[in-house]
Amino acid sequence: MNTYKIAVVNGDGIGNEIVPAGFAVMEAAAAKFGFTLQREDFPFGAGYYKAHGDFIAPGALEQLKKFDAILFGAVGLPEVDDRLPFKLFTNLIRTSFNQYVNHRPVKLLQGVLSPLRTKTEKDIDFVIVRENNEGEFVQNGRILYPDEPYGLATDTSVFTRAGITRIAHYAFQLAQKRRKHMTNVTKSNTMIHTLYYWDTVIEEVAAQYPDVVYRKMYIDAATANFVLRPEIFDVVLTTNMLGDILSDLGGAIMGSLGFGSSGNINPEGDFPSMFEPIHGSAPDIAGKGIANPVGQILSAALLLEHIGETAAAAAITAAVNATTSAGIFGADNGGSHSTNQIRDAVIARL
Ligand code: NAI
Ligand code: MG
């Protein structure tokens, strides 16, 4: 029987409610499909920072490296400086473990009414591939003389040929396994250095995938098309910040941010990959037991797919769709089911 070592990081806020739900569904799948999950919990996040002065423990990266995968919720608390969660946890893990792919499916679940009133499951089915290690989020900048009339602030994006090339290969190869369309969402008409270079390198890679239809689209037009014509998208490749923003729009057209799943993936397998919902710690609803766990559960399915348990992953996705098509929703979708009721409904269908 295969055994996988899974590091579990609930993080903060609703992470403490939805990660246990996601893990419970993974365990149910493990029992059904005949593999074992060896779990270890790490209490990292903004709460940990309040007690210990850092988001993770000393030596934690070395420890986490030994796992097959990480199941993560979200980090951030209203009382903790919100510049820190990304810097000291999420981005630290993503960059330290070369998780240069942020793979974010946008797929309307069965029975969910999209706010796009004419669109169905056939229309909303694509994957955002967000570059996850560089771009606008490298935090390369400074604030000078903040209180002076001549105060100034900079953040300089960094795009490398190697970084663009590897994410482009991932996106084109994903498109080859799907409907063979790749849309590069960019803004090279105004970001004439970084994003022009981004386009140039992607187009070089595109030439190696003649079977994939390649198209370039500016981010402003893409936002409109996500709403008006989502059916034109198959794989959407974009930068770190543009992908962050587009993902929440993807969640919205799926009917809730709470449906969005993701994998921070190191395709080479040199490091563990990390799976988390697309949203944050939602302090406004934390502690009430009403958070939608579906994005976390689908992130668990992505984790299982990544470690090779593809049948279990497909079964979880099917069980989630059976749950939503039965009209079992939380408050974010006009329903009244709690986090744990949704978890149990998915497990029952699994
Ligand atoms: P958020 O994504 O936590 O919440 C935005 C809105 O969506 C809220 O009204 C929330 O209640 C709702 N929502 C989110 N997930 C939901 C779910 N599963 N079920 C039902 N409703 C849900 O974003 P916000 O409020 O901008 O940020 C809150 C904190 O999360 C901040 O500290 C932020 O830095 C952090 N954050 C952390 C991320 C991570 O750890 N990867 C990602 C995004 C934000
Ligand atoms: Mg985000």
Side-chain angles (χ1 to χ4, degrees):
M1 189 190 282
N2 280 332
T3 298
Y4 304 98
K5 292 177 66 178
I6 309 296
V8 177
V9 182
N10 290 358
D12 305 301
I14 61 168
N16 293 301
E17 299 156 51
I18 58 178
V19 176
F23 197 86
V25 174
M26 268 207 309
E27 282 217 295
K32 184 176 155 86
F33 288 88
F35 58 92
T36 309
L37 301 173
Q38 200 183 313
R39 159 193 195 146
E40 193 172 332
D41 282 88
F42 294 88
F44 299 157
Y48 189 89
Y49 171 82
K50 288 205 296 183
H52 301 96
D54 199 353
F55 273 62
I56 61 171
L61 289 175
E62 280 308 311
Q63 253 185 307
L64 288 171
K65 240 186 228 172
K66 301 189 187 92
F67 286 82
D68 294 304
I70 304 166
L71 186 69
F72 170 48
V75 284
L77 285 173
E79 66 270 28
V80 171
D81 182 343
D82 219 17
R83 290 174 296 184
L84 301 179
F86 181 76
K87 179 178 178 185
L88 298 181
F89 186 79
T90 325
N91 197 47
L92 180 70
I93 304 288
R94 289 172 179 172
T95 54
S96 301
F97 291 167
N98 265 348
Q99 296 165 348
Y100 60 84
V101 175
N102 197 329
H103 177 109
R104 300 184 150 196
V106 179
K107 192 167 175 17
L108 187 62
L109 295 165
Q110 283 164 26
V112 177
L113 201 60
S114 170
L116 310 182
R117 68 184 186 285
T118 61
K119 303 298 179 186
T120 67
E121 294 115 71
K122 290 192 305 295
D123 304 307
I124 302 175
D125 180 7
F126 58 93
V127 179
I128 298 172
V129 175
R130 162 182 170 190
E131 198 293 317
N132 212 29
N133 277 178
E134 48 183 49
E136 308 88 341
F137 285 175
V138 294
Q139 308 201 323
N140 169 37
R142 63 194 305 189
I143 302 175
L144 280 176
Y145 323 114
D147 302 323
E148 305 300 334
Y150 45 89
L152 72 95
T154 62
D155 266 303
T156 305
S157 303
V158 174
F159 287 83
T160 66
R161 173 174 281 280
I164 304 165
T165 302
R166 63 187 183 176
I167 192 72
H169 280 294
Y170 181 89
F172 281 106
Q173 284 165 24
L174 180 63
Q176 281 182 323
K177 290 182 235 149
R178 292 178 49 95
R179 298 191 304 274
K180 298 189 169 57
H181 276 77
M182 218 290 281
T183 307
N184 164 26
V185 172
T186 180
K187 190 66 185 167
S188 47
N189 53 339
T190 50
M191 304 295 282
I192 60 171
H193 304 106
T194 51
L195 295 191
Y196 182 79
Y197 191 55
W198 164 267
D199 289 358
T200 306
V201 176
I202 289 171
E203 278 153 28
E204 286 172 19
V205 175
Q208 299 170 45
Y209 297 89
D211 54 327
V212 176
V213 178
Y214 170 76
R215 167 178 57 198
K216 184 179 88 175
M217 187 182 291
Y218 296 132
I219 178 72
D220 33 1
T223 56
N225 281 324
F226 263 43
V227 173
L228 298 174
R229 297 194 299 156
E231 64 277 7
I232 68 173
F233 297 109
D234 179 22
V235 174
V236 172
L237 170 60
T238 192
T239 69
N240 207 337
M241 185 167 82
L242 300 184
D244 183 22
I245 299 166
L246 272 182
S247 301
D248 275 30
L249 185 52
I253 66 174
M254 282 189 269
S256 172
L257 269 188
F259 287 138
S261 57
S262 80
N264 301 277
I265 295 173
N266 169 246
E268 292 76 19
D270 299 330
F271 297 95
S273 294
M274 177 167 74
F275 299 83
E276 55 170 316
I278 62 165
H279 57 73
S281 54
D284 54 337
I285 57 163
K288 297 182 180 160
I290 58 166
N292 180 353
V294 165
Q296 188 79 54
I297 292 168
L298 292 174
S299 301
L302 289 173
L303 184 159
L304 293 180
E305 195 181 325
H306 179 76
I307 62 177
E309 295 293 344
T310 47
I316 290 177
T317 306
V320 164
N321 277 286
T323 302
T324 52
S325 61
I328 296 171
F329 298 122
D332 55 322
N333 280 89
S336 57
H337 289 85
S338 68
T339 307
N340 289 344
Q341 285 172 327
I342 297 171
R343 170 201 64 193
D344 293 345
V346 173
I347 291 174
R349 282 157 183 81
L350 186 68

